[in-house]
Amino acid sequence: MLVTSFRDPGVLPRRLDPNPEVEPRDNASFDLDVSEGRPKDLIISMNRVDDGGVPELGLNVDIITRWCTTCRIYRPPRCSHCRSCDNCIMNLDHHCVFLNTCIGRRNYTSFYGMLCHMLAMCFMGLAGCVLHLYYLAVPSDPNAKSGIVYALKTTPASIAFFWLILMWLIPAGCLWIYHTFLLLQNRSTVEQIRLDGSRELYDMPKGNGGCFGNFTLLSRFAMCSEKIRSWFVPEDFAPPIAGSAQKGREARRKRTPFQYANPLRNALVVLGRPTPSSSIT
Ligand SMILES: [Zn+2]
Ligand SMILES: [Zn+2]
C-alpha cells in the first residue's frame, strides 16, 4: 500500500511538444489557451502486438494521439490526463481516492499485489475467527466447558471481527475480481469505462436524435448524457464508436492493438511490463 501510494504512477513531463500543429481557427469554437487555433490531434500508425491469426483485425492500426491543453504534450497511446493530480499519467488505470494517487504504469503491479494481499488477509482473519470459536465450542478436553453459547459469550470480539472482515471482504473481493477481469484482457479501468460508455452513452443519437428523433425529450436526454459522459471519461486512445449498440458489442469483441489473444499472457504482460524511470525530479 505504501509503495503504491508513494511511488510516481508515471507522470509525463510537461511541454514536450511546445509547437504543435494547429488547425485553422474555427469561428464556432474558441480556445483561450492557444490564440492561433486548436492544436490538431495526430494520428499515428502502430503494429498490433498480436493478431492471433484473425485476418480481419489487421496488423496495422491507426491511433489518435490527443493534445493535452494542460500539459502541452501529445499523449502517448493509453495515457490519460488525471483531473485530480492535474498530470498526464502513463497507462492511467484510475485515480484512487483511498491511496490519494493515480494508479498508472509505475504502480499498477504493486496495486494489484496490494489487492491480493488484502484478500488473503481477509480470508486469514475469517478463518482465525471461525477456528477460535470452533475450538472453544468443541474443546479437546472433555471436562472443559463447551458449546456454541459458551464460545460466543467467551469471545464476542471474534463475532465482531468476523462481521467487520466480512463487510470489508465484499468490496475488496469485488475490486479484486474486477481488476483480475481487466488484467486478463490487458485493459485499464479508464478503457473499460470508455467501452461501457460507448455502448450505453456514446451510441446515443447525436444532434437530430436518431432513432429517438420523434421524441424531443428523449433526444435531449441522449445529448445530455453524452455531455455528462465527457465530464467523467477522458477522450483519447479508444476512438469514439458511432452507431448502434450492435457496434458497441462488436468493439467489445475486437481486441485493442495491445491485447493478446491469450488471457494469461495479457495478465503477465501487464504485471511484468518494464517501468520507465520517473520523470519527477
Ligand atoms: Zn495532461
Ligand atoms: Zn490522479
Side-chain angles (χ1 to χ4, degrees):
M1 183 177 154
L2 289 174
V3 168
T4 311
S5 189
F6 289 111
R7 202 172 189 205
D8 160 28
V11 173
L12 279 168
R14 295 194 173 206
R15 295 180 181 275
L16 283 178
D17 306 298
N19 301 310
E21 276 187 57
V22 284
E23 279 172 348
R25 190 185 256 281
D26 182 1
N27 284 337
S29 66
F30 59 92
D31 193 335
L32 293 175
D33 194 39
V34 182
S35 53
E36 65 268 32
R38 206 178 70 85
K40 262 184 194 170
D41 292 330
L42 297 182
I43 293 172
I44 56 163
S45 188
M46 58 178 294
N47 279 342
R48 282 184 176 278
V49 289
D50 169 36
D51 75 349
V54 186
E56 68 262 27
L57 284 180
L59 274 174
N60 275 312
V61 192
D62 285 338
I63 291 205
I64 300 170
T65 53
R66 297 199 189 276
W67 167 260
C68 178
T69 48
T70 312
C71 305
R72 304 187 71 81
I73 55 166
Y74 280 106
R75 284 185 209 134
R78 311 193 85 183
C79 167
S80 289
H81 187 91
C82 172
R83 289 178 193 200
S84 308
C85 306
D86 200 28
N87 274 314
C88 274
I89 312 286
M90 264 182 279
N91 294 71
L92 176 69
D93 190 84
H94 66 285
H95 182 90
C96 181
V97 285
F98 301 106
L99 299 174
N100 192 30
T101 184
C102 267
I103 307 300
R105 176 151 184 162
R106 296 186 82 256
N107 61 356
Y108 187 81
T109 306
S110 62
F111 171 76
Y112 187 71
M114 187 194 80
L115 288 184
C116 293
H117 275 100
M118 197 156 66
L119 213 65
M121 276 174 68
C122 283
F123 283 122
M124 262 177 66
L126 284 180
C129 292
V130 170
L131 285 176
H132 193 196
L133 286 166
Y134 174 78
Y135 284 124
L136 278 171
V138 191
S140 51
D141 182 2
N143 298 322
K145 279 187 178 177
S146 64
I148 189 72
V149 178
Y150 164 72
L152 291 177
K153 273 185 183 167
T154 314
T155 172
S158 286
I159 292 294
F161 275 120
F162 182 86
W163 285 111
L164 274 176
I165 296 169
L166 204 64
M167 286 299 107
W168 185 248
L169 181 65
I170 293 165
C174 288
L175 196 64
W176 183 85
I177 290 168
Y178 185 61
H179 275 278
T180 307
F181 160 77
L182 291 178
L183 256 183
L184 293 173
Q185 298 178 82
N186 189 354
R187 195 178 281 157
S188 70
T189 306
V190 168
E191 287 162 5
Q192 182 63 42
I193 291 171
R194 201 172 298 143
L195 203 61
D196 291 341
S198 66
R199 193 186 58 161
E200 290 168 24
L201 290 173
Y202 204 90
D203 291 337
M204 288 286 192
K206 257 183 174 175
N208 65 359
C211 62
F212 296 124
N214 296 333
F215 306 99
T216 322
L217 204 67
L218 272 177
S219 66
R220 290 244 165 127
F221 171 74
M223 282 190 285
C224 181
S225 61
E226 223 174 67
K227 256 186 193 164
I228 293 169
R229 173 183 175 262
S230 69
W231 295 343
F232 296 103
V233 184
E235 288 185 8
D236 68 336
F237 175 61
I241 303 151
S244 60
Q246 177 67 29
K247 273 196 175 169
R249 279 196 291 278
E250 277 170 20
R252 222 166 241 284
R253 281 197 294 270
K254 204 169 168 180
R255 283 201 305 282
T256 70
F258 313 99
Q259 279 175 309
Y260 290 93
N262 182 346
L264 202 62
R265 194 172 179 188
N266 278 329
L268 289 175
V269 161
V270 175
L271 293 177
R273 65 191 164 195
T275 47
S277 55
S278 173
S279 64
I280 299 174
T281 46

